[in-house]
Amino acid sequence: LNEGWLGVASAGVEFDTRNDPAFPSRGVRASLHGRAGWLGGPFAAVLTGFENYVRLPFGHVLQFNLRAGAVFGDAPFFERWFIGDLHPYVPERSLGLNFARRRGPNLLDGSIREQRYEKVAGRLGVEYRVPLKRRTAADPYAVELFVGAALISLGTPGERGGADALDPGTPLDLAVDAGLRIESKIGVMGLSLGNLFLVVDP
């Protein structure tokens, strides 16, 4: 392969004990995915994920989630982690393409405001879910209310993160989201605070 050709191979494994794929109330889901490729030189990426669902009194659900990933080598920008992969206020990529110009909102006033495509990414979050309507054999619709928060980090080791070289800052941000999720025959749809921030892309 030369610099005009991109080759990528990927593989992954998942462990899933959730009692429902859309609105689980108990169980865990763990995953490990890797990618290796070549574009003028070799590069590789590793992504891990973990979700734990705990059923609380009154049928409420508490979810803990963790995502962490790293890219090795001189990967092209579109093979690196994107802020939209982590933050609900930034549109995520669709079919590998990014149509958003927005950066992270930077609620913690760190250097993550400058980050878009980076080599190291992490997300640690918690979510509280309240089922409002459960799916039945006769009615495929279900609705739940959720509120959650997550700490997000995105950066590239060795690169200056902040505007001041003497104070590089910490590439850390806080994401808070709340809203409704609706399950129907065509899938799961959501309406949340994050959706409202996606309406206008400055």
Side-chain angles (χ1 to χ4, degrees):
L1 295 176
N2 56 39
E3 292 189 4
W5 291 85
L6 169 67
V8 177
S10 62
V13 60
E14 291 196 6
F15 174 77
D16 194 343
T17 65
R18 297 174 300 168
N19 61 336
D20 187 282
F23 290 167
S25 60
R26 55 181 171 79
V28 300
R29 180 186 182 188
S31 62
L32 175 63
H33 295 271
R35 294 167 62 87
W38 182 285
L39 182 62
F43 64 88
V46 177
L47 175 65
T48 61
F50 179 78
E51 301 172 6
N52 184 24
Y53 297 84
V54 180
R55 187 179 179 89
L56 301 175
F58 310 110
H60 297 183
V61 179
L62 191 62
Q63 180 216 44
F64 301 94
N65 57 81
L66 170 67
R67 295 182 66 192
V71 175
F72 307 93
D74 190 17
F77 75 92
F78 50 82
E79 289 289 344
R80 301 187 179 196
W81 310 122
F82 173 55
I83 182 63
D85 299 333
L86 306 170
H87 210 298
Y89 297 171
V90 183
E92 62 183 350
R93 288 182 280 196
S94 178
L95 300 177
L97 300 177
N98 168 36
F99 300 97
R101 296 177 291 111
R102 174 177 294 152
R103 298 179 184 270
N106 197 19
L107 299 180
L108 298 184
D109 196 24
S111 63
I112 200 170
R113 178 69 181 180
E114 307 300 324
Q115 315 299 345
R116 273 177 65 82
Y117 296 94
E118 305 295 336
K119 287 189 172 183
V120 178
R123 188 181 194 277
L124 178 62
V126 61
E127 190 172 272
Y128 189 86
R129 301 180 171 197
V130 180
L132 301 179
K133 182 182 182 301
R134 299 185 182 277
R135 181 179 63 248
T136 65
D139 187 355
Y141 291 89
V143 182
E144 73 172 8
L145 172 69
F146 74 92
V147 57
L151 285 175
I152 294 172
S153 184
L154 182 69
T156 299
E159 292 188 1
R160 179 169 57 89
D164 187 348
L166 298 179
D167 183 16
T170 301
L172 190 68
D173 200 4
L174 175 66
V176 179
D177 203 10
L180 293 174
R181 292 193 185 98
I182 304 171
E183 183 183 11
S184 67
K185 294 180 179 180
I186 62 174
V188 178
M189 301 169 287
L191 177 62
S192 70
L193 293 177
N195 298 138
L196 297 179
F197 284 100
L198 300 183
V199 173
V200 179
D201 191 6

